[in-house]
Amino acid sequence: MIKKTLTLIVAVVIAIWFLSPVVLIVISSLTPSAEYYDPSRILPRSLTLDHLRSLFVTLGGWRATLNSIQVAGMSIGISFLFGLPAAYALTRFVFRGKNSIRLGILLTRSFPVLIIGIPLLILYMRIGISDTLLGVALAHTSMVLPFVVLISSSIIGGISVEYEEAGMIFGLSRFASFMRITMPLVLPGLAASAIFAFIMSWNEVFVAAILTVGSRTLPAHILNAAMTAPDYFKFAAGTIMAVPAMIFIFFTRKYLMSLWGISLK
Amino acid sequence: MAEVTIRGVKKHFGEVKALDGIDLKIEDGKFVVLLGPSGCGKTTLLRCMSGLEKVTEGKVLFGEKDVTGYAPKDRNVSMVFQSYAVWPHMKVYSNIAYPMKIKKFDKQEIEKRALDTAKLLGISELLDRYPVQLSGGQRQRVAVARAIVLEPAVLMMDEPLSNLDALLRVLMRSELKKLQERLGTTTVYVTHDQVEAMTMGDLIAVMKDGIIQQYGRPEDIYHRPANKFIAGFIGSPQMNFINVEVKRKEGKMCLIAPGIEVECTRENEQKIDRGKHKRLIMGIRPENIHHVAGREATPIEGKVYFTERLGAETIVHLKVGDMRIISKIAGDEIFEEDKEMNMYVDTSRIRLFDPESERSILD
């Protein structure tokens, strides 16, 4: 009983610790501007969607949100297109230099995308994809791809190769066996890593800000537009940034657990 | 159903020669066991037969057909995996039916066959469950059902019993063998367990270092092992190996070691080349050393070092000179430790090996 109470208290403290900033941000973003600057009030008497609305509609936030979703979608797509076969090969086949390749993939993460931002911009200008969503998506892919390869390879590695071989024995080709036997088994894990990739791209601000002028992603746009605006706009921007990520994590939290090796069984 | 022929098959993984020239013929309908210690290449050979592994060199034939370049799915084989590999995202019924679904059987046929096979394996009640809801033994039955439902040309099993507990293993041993007899499917069975090999196989291929050491009926492998490795690998407790000198005494050929002097039988005498075989390794199984004198028995003198009383049999460790000779005696017998006693070697059961090549010189 005491143990249970203690656990509860600890849980509540942790929850408050993590949630209170989020709650404050959300509340501030909903506070009417007159009340926001009233030092005698902590909690507002009424709430308003004005800041969010003007951020979305007047300040072009809606466009930027769509841009962000497109960029994240593209970089997830490209990352999985190349990352999944790479992960499969790293897990299932024995070949020379496998460990070096694994290490090499990890090493690419040690260069912050920030460093490659300027060279990328120059390169993009040359090949004519500067200030495009594809350009940002490719930059984000370079950030997301190693992550996708390594996580996917550990997820595939968690599925016994004998399942797949059984598929091959009982009438499927290697590819069909992967698609019909292994895929359903790894899908939850892959979905979780896709969500992770999504959030990585969603949150990335520097490269997006360097590479684009017209078609900005949401964080880049906010950095540009909201940072010179009054505080409640900043909070509104924070809310817009945080909420989608939180919704995603809420729905995929049990798969995220499996991502870190806690079994789903 | 098919006859399987392996011709000069080699499989190299980089520098490692997992299979170093295998020739094997498995007659139609036979139950053949590939037996050997871990790393001997038995599983690799099975995987080469199934097509999961590509051979480096050589040919695999099913009947007259050369299937060497075929993908597993085109070989009409099936397999029971060591981990069973029952697909966890499908119910038992789907697991059994899936191979037929892939091959596009019609619905009624699939259902009929799946139900019949489930009945045969005694898993009709489990069809609606997921594999995680099954015990190891049940999962294995599902794996076997899935493997036989398509009536494959060759049924392959890769240590299928090694994950079961001891009691269930004994039960499944006889059940799998009975099932195979009933179906008449050519079966290749990989194991490192000599008891499984002896009890289940029509024929046993003993493997070591990527080479088949001997291929024959279980009784031949047991009683006439081709070399010292096989003699030592099969049988428990292990065969006694004694380094002996070959000498002539009073017109008879004798095998002599400190504390031991055994006369050769006439048949063995003819096999010994006096010029070549000055020294030999004598092998004698523990059950061929008795504590009472009998026909064709030569006494050896020793001291009881240790006894293992197992109830149905007694294992006596006898110290003879520096050597320890192990004898297996039927029944529960009591021997006083450190007591001097005579044991009797059944000379007709002696095996002789060349000390250099370790090959048997008797056949």
Side-chain angles (χ1 to χ4, degrees):
Chain A
M1 191 60 207
I2 293 171
K3 207 174 159 190
K4 225 175 167 183
T5 322
L6 258 159
T7 314
L8 197 69
I9 291 170
V10 171
V12 166
V13 168
I14 292 175
I16 288 174
W17 176 266
F18 281 104
L19 286 180
S20 49
V22 178
V23 171
L24 285 178
I25 289 171
V26 173
I27 288 176
S28 301
S29 74
L30 299 176
T31 308
S33 39
E35 288 190 35
Y36 182 83
Y37 288 113
D38 182 350
S40 63
R41 302 207 61 85
I42 296 174
L43 289 176
R45 246 169 315 184
S46 63
L47 297 176
T48 173
L49 289 171
D50 282 351
H51 313 315
L52 288 171
R53 193 179 304 126
S54 51
L55 197 64
F56 263 126
V57 182
T58 326
L59 294 173
W62 181 243
R63 266 291 313 279
T65 307
L66 287 182
N67 285 346
S68 263
I69 291 172
Q70 280 183 58
V71 166
M74 274 192 279
S75 63
I76 288 173
I78 301 169
S79 303
F80 274 87
L81 189 66
F82 292 103
L84 211 52
Y88 184 86
L90 279 175
T91 321
R92 292 290 196 239
F93 299 127
V94 182
F95 53 89
R96 207 179 293 257
K98 184 164 144 176
N99 284 328
S100 322
I101 289 176
R102 205 181 272 272
L103 194 70
I105 289 172
L106 202 63
L107 224 60
T108 60
R109 293 293 294 119
S110 66
F111 301 105
V113 196
L114 189 53
I115 299 180
I116 59 170
I118 303 289
L120 264 186
L121 179 60
I122 294 164
L123 182 70
Y124 282 0
M125 281 181 349
R126 268 191 211 145
I127 60 175
I129 55 167
S130 65
D131 198 16
T132 61
L133 295 181
L134 178 66
V136 184
L138 286 176
H140 285 184
T141 302
S142 78
M143 179 177 73
V144 168
L145 184 59
F147 174 81
V148 167
V149 172
L150 294 178
I151 295 285
S152 304
S153 112
S154 83
I155 291 170
I156 294 171
I159 304 296
S160 162
V161 67
E162 291 196 341
Y163 292 137
E164 217 169 290
E165 289 180 342
M168 287 160 71
I169 289 278
F170 292 114
L172 297 171
S173 66
R174 183 179 281 277
F175 180 71
S177 190
F178 175 76
M179 292 308 286
R180 289 162 78 169
I181 305 292
T182 312
M183 234 3 203
L185 296 172
V186 297
L187 213 52
L190 294 187
S193 71
I195 301 280
F196 234 71
F198 184 92
I199 291 170
M200 277 173 92
S201 167
W202 179 265
N203 283 339
E204 200 288 321
V205 56
F206 295 109
V207 171
I210 292 170
L211 290 180
T212 54
V213 180
S215 46
R216 296 220 135 142
T217 61
L218 187 60
H221 178 71
I222 287 171
L223 188 70
N224 192 41
M227 284 306 124
T228 51
D231 282 355
Y232 42 82
F233 274 125
K234 293 178 191 164
F235 283 118
T239 305
I240 295 173
M241 284 303 297
V243 166
M246 288 178 73
I247 292 172
F248 271 129
I249 291 189
F250 180 79
F251 283 113
T252 58
R253 62 195 189 286
K254 73 172 189 180
Y255 298 127
L256 285 175
M257 292 298 173
S258 77
L259 199 67
W260 307 118
I262 303 160
S263 156
L264 273 177
K265 276 185 221 155
Chain B
M1 263 160 262
E3 182 182 83
V4 179
T5 313
I6 309 289
R7 250 187 235 149
V9 162
K10 290 186 181 178
K11 175 70 192 178
H12 298 177
F13 296 105
E15 298 290 297
V16 183
K17 293 176 180 173
L19 297 177
D20 201 10
I22 300 278
D23 288 285
L24 185 68
K25 196 174 177 101
I26 299 169
E27 280 171 50
D28 188 16
K30 289 281 189 230
F31 192 117
V32 170
V33 177
L34 304 179
L35 174 71
S38 51
C40 71
K42 55 192 190 299
T43 297
T44 307
L45 178 56
L46 189 78
R47 290 171 64 86
C48 285
M49 286 187 209
S50 71
L52 288 174
E53 212 77 70
K54 287 199 174 82
V55 302
T56 309
E57 210 182 302
K59 277 189 169 25
V60 179
L61 290 94
F62 288 177
E64 295 297 307
K65 201 163 71 179
D66 182 351
V67 296
T68 315
Y70 282 43
K73 69 186 175 74
D74 301 321
R75 294 195 181 198
N76 190 20
V77 295
S78 70
M79 194 183 277
V80 178
F81 290 83
Q82 186 169 9
S83 66
Y84 318 136
V86 175
W87 297 308
H89 57 305
M90 297 182 196
K91 287 183 175 172
V92 168
Y93 177 83
S94 306
N95 260 286
I96 300 172
Y98 199 57
M100 295 184 282
K101 229 162 132 188
I102 296 169
K103 302 235 155 98
K104 303 215 160 54
F105 282 46
D106 68 63
K107 267 222 158 88
Q108 285 170 331
E109 174 82 3
I110 292 179
E111 192 173 326
K112 185 178 173 296
R113 282 214 201 183
L115 294 181
D116 285 352
T117 313
K119 202 170 156 200
L120 185 67
L121 272 297
I123 49 173
S124 300
E125 275 77 56
L126 308 174
L127 290 174
D128 219 20
R129 296 212 200 153
Y130 279 102
V132 280
Q133 298 167 298
L134 305 179
S135 70
Q138 290 170 330
R139 238 176 277 180
Q140 202 211 14
R141 282 166 191 273
V142 177
V144 173
R146 183 179 62 180
I148 62 173
V149 74
L150 269 181
E151 292 168 14
V154 186
L155 173 61
M156 306 185 175
M157 302 198 214
D158 186 6
E159 311 220 10
L161 303 183
S162 58
N163 287 341
L164 299 179
D165 63 67
L167 255 153
L168 202 54
R169 207 177 303 163
V170 175
L171 183 75
M172 283 309 284
R173 221 152 61 195
S174 53
E175 281 202 29
L176 281 183
K177 176 66 181 162
K178 282 276 171 210
L179 184 70
Q180 190 270 341
E181 277 170 6
R182 204 161 130 191
L183 298 171
T185 311
T186 310
T187 302
V188 187
Y189 184 105
V190 164
T191 184
H192 62 267
D193 185 318
Q194 46 156 320
V195 181
E196 276 174 30
M198 293 295 294
T199 51
M200 297 173 83
D202 293 321
L203 289 159
I204 300 176
V206 186
M207 292 183 67
K208 188 197 169 198
D209 300 336
I211 288 172
I212 292 179
Q213 306 281 325
Q214 189 173 3
Y215 182 45
R217 294 179 303 162
E219 56 269 34
D220 290 333
I221 304 266
Y222 189 82
H223 294 298
R224 281 181 288 282
N227 59 38
K228 191 182 159 206
F229 163 75
I230 299 165
F233 189 70
I234 294 176
S236 173
Q238 213 190 31
M239 184 183 264
N240 295 293
F241 294 110
I242 303 158
N243 291 312
V244 292
E245 261 181 278
V246 181
K247 275 193 181 150
R248 253 196 134 71
K249 263 195 174 175
E250 296 153 19
K252 298 230 169 175
M253 191 100 75
C254 284
L255 306 168
I256 296 169
I260 294 174
E261 193 173 318
V262 180
E263 265 179 32
C264 277
T265 57
R266 196 157 302 145
E267 298 94 60
N268 287 357
E269 203 164 317
Q270 285 163 359
K271 298 278 166 63
I272 297 174
D273 177 348
R274 283 219 65 206
K276 211 168 94 191
H277 301 129
K278 295 215 159 52
R279 304 192 134 270
L280 287 171
I281 297 170
M282 176 172 93
I284 182 80
R285 293 209 181 272
E287 66 267 29
N288 297 326
I289 302 177
H290 309 288
H291 66 307
V292 285
R295 199 169 53 88
E296 294 200 59
T298 306
I300 50 176
E301 246 174 76
K303 212 188 235 180
V304 176
Y305 178 73
F306 185 66
T307 54
E308 300 171 58
R309 289 173 61 199
L310 302 175
E313 60 201 22
T314 308
I315 292 163
V316 184
H317 299 232
L318 197 70
K319 236 178 153 108
V320 181
D322 297 338
M323 284 176 302
R324 199 190 294 189
I325 306 281
I326 292 173
S327 151
K328 186 155 87 176
I329 290 155
D332 192 7
E333 302 275 348
I334 299 171
F335 297 92
E336 208 180 304
E337 279 180 19
D338 287 332
K339 200 185 127 191
E340 303 270 346
M341 73 174 289
N342 277 352
M343 288 285 206
Y344 301 89
V345 174
D346 183 346
T347 49
S348 67
R349 297 305 185 105
I350 281 175
R351 303 294 303 168
L352 293 171
F353 304 98
D354 184 289
E356 301 279 297
S357 67
E358 301 199 335
R359 299 199 62 79
S360 167
I361 63 162
L362 298 185
D363 344 74

